[in-house]
C-alpha cells in the first residue's frame, strides 16, 4: 500500500514504514536507546531526503522517550536537577545546530553533512562499543569481577559546583552543560536523541550511577528533541507528520516486544549486537557516499528538496 508523503515528496509503502518503526522500536526496547541513530539512516536508504528524515525522526524519539521516562519516574531513577542542567545545555545546542543546519541547507550541502556526520559518529561509537563488549565478554568468561569506575577525576576539581542528591554527586555544572550542548547540536543536525553519546558520558565522564543515567538521559532528550522538531517545523518546514505517525505506531509496538527480548540476553551480548548493527549501517552509508550515483545531476524547481 503506497502512501504519498507530502513534505518528503515521495511515495513509500506504508507497511515498510511500519516495519522500520517496529524494528527500531524492538532495538530501542532491547538496548535502551532512542533508535534515531539507526532509523534516520534507514530512512535515507528508502529514499527519504536527509533534511526531512532528520526533522521528522525527532518526533518518534519524543514519544518513545516519554513512555520510557514515565517508567523511570515510577522507579524514582530520574535525577531532575541533573536533567535540568543537561537540558539548559541541550536547548542552547539545539538552537545552534538548527542555525548551522539552515545555513548549510541554503548552501545546498546539508545532505552531505548529515551523511558524513553519521559515518563518523557511527564508525567511532560502533567501533568503541564493539571493542568494549569483546573485552567484557572475555572478562566474564574468566570470571573476574567487574572493573570499578573511578569516583573522582579532573572534572570534580572544576568550579561552580552543585550538589546532585539523587546521583550522589557534588560536581561542577560546566561538564553537564557541555554534554547537553553537544547532544543538542547532534539532535538538530542528525535527528537523534543523543543517548548513544550522552549515556556513556554521564557514566564515565560525570561519574553518575548507572541506575539513574537512563532515566535522566530520557528526561533531557524529550525536551531537546521536541524543541528541535519545533525549530525545524517553523524554519525549515521539513517535518512530515504522515511519516512521523507511521514510524511512531510501529515504534510503540516494537518497543514492547524489544523489552521482553532484552530480558533474555546478557548485557555484554546486547552491546556487541548493537555495535555490529551500528557498524553495518555505517558501512552502508560510507559505501553509498563513495559509489557514483546513477544521475550525476538533476534539474528541479528552486527551493525543492
Amino acid at each position: 500500500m503506497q502512501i504519498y508523503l507530502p513534505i518528503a515528496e515521495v511515495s513509500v509503502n506504508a507497511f515498510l514504514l511500519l516495519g522500520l518503526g517496529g524494528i527500531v522500536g524492538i532495538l530501542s526496547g532491547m538496548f535502551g536507546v532512542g533508535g534515531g541513530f539507526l532509523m534516520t539512516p534507514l530512512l535515507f536508504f528508502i529514499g527519504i531526503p536527509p533534511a526531512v528524515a532528520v526533522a521528522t525522526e525527532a518526533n518518534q524519539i519524543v514519544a518513545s522517550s516519554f513512555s520510557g521516562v514515565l517508567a523511570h519516574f515510577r522507579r524514582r531513577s530520574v535525577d531532575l536537577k541533573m536533567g535540568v542542567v543537561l537540558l539548559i545545555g541541550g536547548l542552547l545546542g539545539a538552537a545552534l545546530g538548527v542555525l548551522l543546519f539552515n545555513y548549510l541547507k541554503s548552501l545546498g550541502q546539508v545532505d552531505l553533512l548529515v551523511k558524513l556526520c553519521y559515518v563518523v559518529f557511527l564508525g567511532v561509537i560502533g567501533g568503541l562499543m564493539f571493542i568494549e563488549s569483546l573485552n567484557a565478554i572475555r572478562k566474564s568468561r574468566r570470571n573476574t569481577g567487574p572493573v570499578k569506575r573511578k569516583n573522582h577525576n579532573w572534572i570534580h576539581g572544576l568550579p561552580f559546583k552543585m550538589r546532585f542528591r539523587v546521583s550522589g554527586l557534588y560536581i561542577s555544572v560546566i561538564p553537564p552543560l557541555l554534554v547537553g550542548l553537544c547532544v543538542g547540536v547532534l539532535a538538530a543536525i542528525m535527528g537523534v536523541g543523543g543517548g548513544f553519546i550522552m549515556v556513556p558520558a554521564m557514566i564515565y565522564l560525570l561519574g553518575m550511577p548507572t541506575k539513574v543515567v537512563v532515566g535522566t538521559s530520557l528526561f533531557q532528550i524529550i525536551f531537546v528533541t521536541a524543541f528541535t522538531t519545533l525549530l525545524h517545523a517553523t524554519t525549515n518546514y521539513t517535518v512530515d507528520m504522515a511519516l512521523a505517525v507511521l514510524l511512531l505506531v510501529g515504534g510503540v509496538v516494537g518497543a514492547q516486544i524489544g523489552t521482553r527480548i532484552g530480558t533474555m540476553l546478557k548485557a555484554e551480548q546486547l552491546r556487541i549486537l548493537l555495535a555490529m548493527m551500528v557498524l553495518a549501517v555505517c558501512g552502508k552509508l560510507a559505501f553509498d557516499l563513495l559509489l557514483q550515483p546513477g544521475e550525476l545531476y538533476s534539474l528541479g524547481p528552486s527551493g525543492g528538496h
Side-chain angles (χ1 to χ4, degrees):
M1 183 178 71
Q2 295 290 116
I3 183 170
Y4 181 72
L5 304 175
I7 304 299
E9 297 180 354
V10 293
S11 294
V12 184
N13 190 298
F15 294 111
L16 174 62
L17 293 176
L18 287 170
L20 287 178
I23 290 170
V24 173
I26 290 172
L27 296 177
S28 177
M30 286 175 64
F31 304 119
V33 295
F37 67 100
L38 287 175
M39 174 59 84
T40 309
L42 291 177
L43 293 177
F44 299 165
F45 298 156
I46 64 172
I48 306 297
V52 177
V54 166
T56 304
E57 173 55 21
N59 285 274
Q60 186 189 25
I61 298 170
V62 172
S64 61
S65 299
F66 183 74
S67 63
V69 84
L70 288 178
H72 285 281
F73 267 123
R74 287 194 292 269
R75 298 173 194 159
R76 297 182 180 179
S77 56
V78 179
D79 189 333
L80 286 176
K81 198 172 183 181
M82 177 65 79
V84 169
V85 174
L86 290 167
L87 178 58
I88 292 169
L91 294 178
L92 291 173
L96 289 173
V98 170
L99 287 175
L100 178 61
F101 189 94
N102 291 344
Y103 174 69
L104 289 166
K105 188 181 178 186
S106 68
L107 297 178
Q109 299 298 320
V110 71
D111 290 5
L112 178 62
L113 170 75
V114 170
K115 290 184 178 180
L116 283 175
C117 282
Y118 267 101
V119 170
V120 172
F121 277 98
L122 293 185
V124 172
I125 297 297
L128 291 175
M129 197 184 303
F130 187 80
I131 294 169
E132 189 271 337
S133 301
L134 279 179
N135 291 334
I137 290 173
R138 287 172 186 164
K139 288 174 184 175
S140 66
R141 286 178 179 173
R142 294 173 190 164
N143 294 320
T144 57
V147 178
K148 291 186 178 180
R149 208 170 6 99
K150 291 183 179 180
N151 291 325
H152 291 278
N153 53 35
W154 61 271
I155 284 174
H156 293 75
L158 294 174
F160 308 110
K161 289 189 175 183
M162 184 180 290
R163 192 173 300 280
F164 301 96
R165 298 188 183 280
V166 177
S167 299
L169 295 176
Y170 181 60
I171 61 171
S172 168
V173 296
I174 296 173
L177 283 173
L178 292 178
V179 170
L181 184 77
C182 294
V183 170
V185 172
L186 290 179
I189 294 177
M190 297 174 64
V192 297
F196 67 105
I197 289 178
M198 181 180 288
V199 170
M202 291 165 76
I203 295 174
Y204 298 110
L205 199 62
L206 304 182
M208 290 178 63
T210 307
K211 65 178 181 179
V212 299
V213 162
V214 175
T216 307
S217 172
L218 289 175
F219 171 79
Q220 188 259 11
I221 286 171
I222 290 171
F223 295 99
V224 170
T225 48
F227 182 61
T228 301
T229 303
L230 180 64
L231 289 178
H232 277 302
T234 54
T235 61
N236 297 323
Y237 312 108
T238 49
V239 177
D240 195 313
M241 289 310 298
L243 174 61
V245 169
L246 288 170
L247 294 176
L248 186 58
V249 171
V252 169
V253 175
Q256 302 302 316
I257 300 170
T259 302
R260 295 181 182 180
I261 297 174
T263 58
M264 303 176 188
L265 298 173
K266 294 180 181 178
E268 56 267 19
Q269 292 173 331
L270 288 172
R271 290 200 301 274
I272 200 165
L273 284 173
L274 180 59
M276 291 169 68
M277 291 177 192
V278 168
L279 289 173
V281 172
C282 174
K284 177 67 169 66
L285 275 174
F287 179 75
D288 287 349
L289 284 174
L290 296 173
L291 193 66
Q292 181 174 320
E295 296 181 13
L296 295 180
Y297 65 90
S298 60
L299 298 176
S302 61
H305 298 302

